[in-house]
Amino acid sequence: MPKLANNGVSSDRLRRVALIGNPNTGKSTLFNCLTGLRQKVGNYSGVTVQKKTGITLIGTERVEILDLPGTYSLAATSPDERVVVDALRGEVENLDRPDIVLCIVDATNLQRNLFLAFQIGQLGVPMVLALNYWDTAQKRNIAIDIEGLKEKLGIPIVPISASRAEGITELKDAVIQALDEKPKLISPTWPESIEEAISGVRSELPEPVSARIDDAALMRGIFESDEEIFKRAGASGLETQEALEISKKALFKGGLNPANAEAVLLYRHIKEHVEPCISARDSSRIAGSESIDSLLTHKVWGLIAFLALMYLVFQSVYSWAGPFMDLIDMGKSVVQDTVSNVLSGWPMIESLVADGIIEGVGAVVIFLPQIMILFFFISLLEDTGYMSRAAFLMDKLFSWCGLSGKSFVPLLSSYACAIPGVMATRTIQDSKARLVTILVAPFMSCSARLPVYVLMIGAFIEPRYGAAVAGAVLFLMHFVGLLVAMPFAYLMNKYILKTPPQPFLLELPSYQIPKVRDVMLKMYSQGKEFVVNAGTVIFAITIIIWALLYFPRTESVEIETREAFVSEIAAQNGWTEEFALASIHEDEAIVAALDHKVSSAFIEQSWMGRIGKTVQPVFAGAGFDWKITVGVIASFPAREVIISTLGIIYSLGGDVDEEAGDLREAMASQKWQSGPKAGMPIFTIPVVIALMVFFALCQQCGATLAVIAQETSWRWAALSFGFMTILAWLASIGINQVGSWF
Amino acid sequence: MKTLNDLNDGQIAKIGSYKRTQGVSRRLMELGLMPGVTVRFIKSAPLGDPIALDVGGRQLSLRREDAAQIIVQPV
Ligand SMILES: Nc1nc2c(ncn2[C@@H]2O[C@H](COP(=O)(O)OP(=O)(O)OP(=O)(O)O)[C@@H](O)[C@H]2O)c(=O)[nH]1
Ligand SMILES: [Mg+2]
């Protein structure tokens, strides 16, 4: 049904309200409250990194609400802040300018929060002000004279507590009224020098260019020395330069420094007009947080507590996820078996469904437990307020290579999966630091590498050196990537991006008790995001690999293998071939062995098998035979594929896991068939380590590449792929060569 | 001439001026680190860098390198 807009004209377009405010002021909490949606919230600056829209019902009108990332200023310094500016300008795809801005400010920190409000007000957008954290303000005896403030600001002001859903009705009423009345914030009276700068710039710009920029935009250009604003309106480089030069001169003449004129003027205005409406501040909240910090950021105890916490988190991610993963695996096998039985008449379809589709779904779902458990902890750490302390503690370790403490969270997440890790880099202001963090993230030992380590260590290290060494190797494997990543980041920064040292500004929010709902929500939404984004890619790739392993399927291969097998059995037992042929069907074990031999033969002459044999010389230096090479290539789209691929190649069938004893035995008994090393075992210790390091360093994850491309560009995704693959290849050869001397 | 960097744990000081006005200083001022504002040096991180400040009841952390740009007057 078409809506009746305020002017009585029917219109299909919903009226829009944009939620804008400093980071961590509760925008997403309010958004969820208004729309009933489930946007992620957390006690950490930069939880929301993308815009999100929802609908709220006010009276009978449906109003569109837009949740945006937090920002301190319209002078954006990071991609998530830029989103806010673009949304206000109406330059976001499929989104018109908002009809009004609902500015969310932290009532316990009005002065700083109103800085942004005044910037937005200057743009001429109608505004409603929500004073959030009203509960905290009252607890701390902060009295705000709302009537007085309304008079000074000239806009509706509503105290709310978003997390307790208090004041929402009043807020909705104010919003709907504002949509009709369009109240504007009373701007400060700017000194003459600003007026002079504006008119000076206008006289410098050609008439048509000047006409295209309104005063508000021009002022932003002057305050931010932002060339873009002029260039977008069609000014040449020279005209832009000169216009900015004139404005700077005008400001200097008025005793203002162009670099901080806006901050000086706005804070002066806030001090004169806003502060009188606020009664004395007390600082009990910060005092409480500080006493917790006296332990958690203590010189000694702080670091110990940090390490202990991280250990606990990873320990739990591994041990808690285990049973769920086993369950998923079991479920997968059951479904595969059932489907195989039903479709056994059509071998190709059976294989496509069981080994392709179900395997593909399984490959996605298997990661869910770890991702969700990791995000359970991450959101717990975020919600309590500890996450920023972790960044505070770790910053020094990252700063030498051009990263910052803010890289810590993304890199930590990458230990579960690089995909959420790469997405978490959106909170990093500096674009180059963000890029480097993205490129470094796939080096972190993600959970998909774990099965490979477990298989290799279980098969070769543990039997020879015992459980203690095995555990130590497993632990060390998790640092291989990190050890390579840090120097890589350093070199990238120093020689390729030539990054100037990036500013590091971090707010340490007060500690609070985490809210169960928020934590659950984040687990759910991360899981969903993973399934939707990465899941589809993983799924598609699994099917492609299946096809490469399945085709071409010439019947003669099966017949030849069968005949060879029968003669082998006959020779072994001194039977005639007819007798052997008849008797092998009696023994289930022999039937299974024959089946596995046939699958193995099929793989050998499949496209993938042929590729493996062709490519094998490339990996000869690392000591890989064609079978390992097939495993390596098949796992380029997703590392964990190697386990099932090896299972098939070694004639065990595909449903083996990394704990399977028979796969370990099969691998241990592999010998070179020909060449100088004929008869010697393939899997020597150097080869085993080379293979593990290859997996540690190689970019074998199509989903991560897709996410990197989405967050940067395909060029960087390609670079990441090329660099990591070459590095992994060189490292595996180096290790095998050096290792073979001993 | 003292900078933010030279303060001891718990020391209170008034912000004077910025040595450099480019780069991070703009954002610092937008966050309320304006000349004339009183801040309290809370502590430095265990590894010596960055530092934590109390600015108007908020804890803000910045690197020593940037803190060295801010001239202060202990009170
Ligand atoms: N005590 C109290 N806490 C609140 C209130 N509103 C929100 N919070 C908490 O403040 C934290 C931040 O909330 P978010 O909604 O994630 O803040 P945001 O503004 O969306 O943050 P960014 O997306 O990072 O900019 C959460 O832990 C909320 O539970 C409130 O009115 N009172
Ligand atoms: Mg948010």
Side-chain angles (χ1 to χ4, degrees), chain A residues 34-296:
Chain A
L34 289 172
T35 61
L37 291 175
R38 288 172 292 195
Q39 178 77 308
K40 272 177 280 176
V41 302
N43 189 19
Y44 184 71
S45 296
V47 175
T48 307
V49 287
Q50 269 178 320
K51 61 170 172 32
K52 167 141 185 154
T53 56
I55 305 277
T56 190
L57 196 67
I58 308 182
T60 53
E61 180 174 350
R62 285 151 44 90
V63 176
E64 190 167 74
I65 309 283
L66 178 64
D67 186 23
L68 289 164
T71 183
Y72 294 113
S73 160
L74 289 182
T77 56
S78 68
D80 59 332
E81 291 178 349
R82 180 127 354 243
V83 172
V84 178
V85 180
D86 291 346
L88 276 173
R89 285 213 187 101
E91 280 169 8
V92 176
E93 241 181 287
N94 305 327
L95 281 176
D96 296 341
R97 267 175 85 134
D99 294 285
I100 65 166
V101 164
L102 177 49
C103 189
I104 322 282
V105 297
D106 178 347
T108 66
N109 193 17
L110 259 189
Q111 287 94 327
R112 193 191 77 196
N113 278 253
L114 284 176
F115 179 86
L116 177 68
F118 277 111
Q119 284 188 323
I120 297 168
Q122 189 65 39
L123 296 179
V125 201
M127 190 188 295
V128 172
L129 197 68
L131 301 183
N132 196 22
Y133 288 98
W134 195 249
D135 54 322
T136 319
Q138 287 195 313
K139 224 179 291 161
R140 292 169 48 193
N141 299 320
I142 299 175
I144 297 173
D145 170 14
I146 292 184
E147 289 310 315
L149 208 54
K150 272 184 191 164
E151 217 162 279
K152 298 278 185 202
L153 302 183
I155 51 170
I157 300 176
V158 186
I160 63 166
S161 288
S163 59
R164 304 165 163 218
E166 285 169 12
I168 305 299
T169 330
E170 293 83 346
L171 185 64
K172 280 183 167 183
D173 289 345
V175 164
I176 204 78
Q177 207 175 340
L179 278 168
D180 293 336
E181 292 168 7
K182 309 219 175 291
K184 304 248 169 84
L185 182 71
I186 300 171
S187 283
T189 1
W190 300 104
E192 249 168 57
S193 51
I194 301 288
E195 309 290 335
E196 273 162 32
I198 293 178
S199 57
V201 168
R202 286 219 183 275
S203 63
E204 182 61 32
L205 294 174
E207 184 52 40
V209 175
S210 177
R212 249 173 262 142
I213 312 178
D214 60 15
D215 273 359
L218 195 65
M219 239 165 122
R220 292 244 49 85
I222 289 171
F223 281 146
E224 291 179 39
S225 301
D226 183 7
E227 303 183 351
E228 275 307 301
I229 288 175
F230 300 103
K231 290 191 175 149
R232 245 199 313 257
S236 70
L238 191 68
E239 285 159 358
T240 306
Q241 293 287 327
E242 276 171 4
L244 284 176
E245 210 44 53
I246 286 183
S247 86
K248 278 183 188 159
K249 275 205 195 104
L251 292 185
F252 270 126
K253 224 172 71 198
L256 290 167
N257 179 344
N260 64 21
E262 183 178 30
V264 168
L265 293 173
L266 279 184
Y267 272 111
R268 190 183 294 159
H269 180 77
I270 290 169
K271 196 175 173 81
E272 281 167 14
H273 293 87
V274 176
E275 262 182 28
C277 302
I278 310 168
S279 82
R281 211 182 37 228
D282 90 356
S283 53
S284 59
R285 191 176 177 192
I286 192 169
S289 280
E290 269 186 60
S291 59
I292 300 177
D293 273 338
S294 64
L295 176 70
L296 289 183

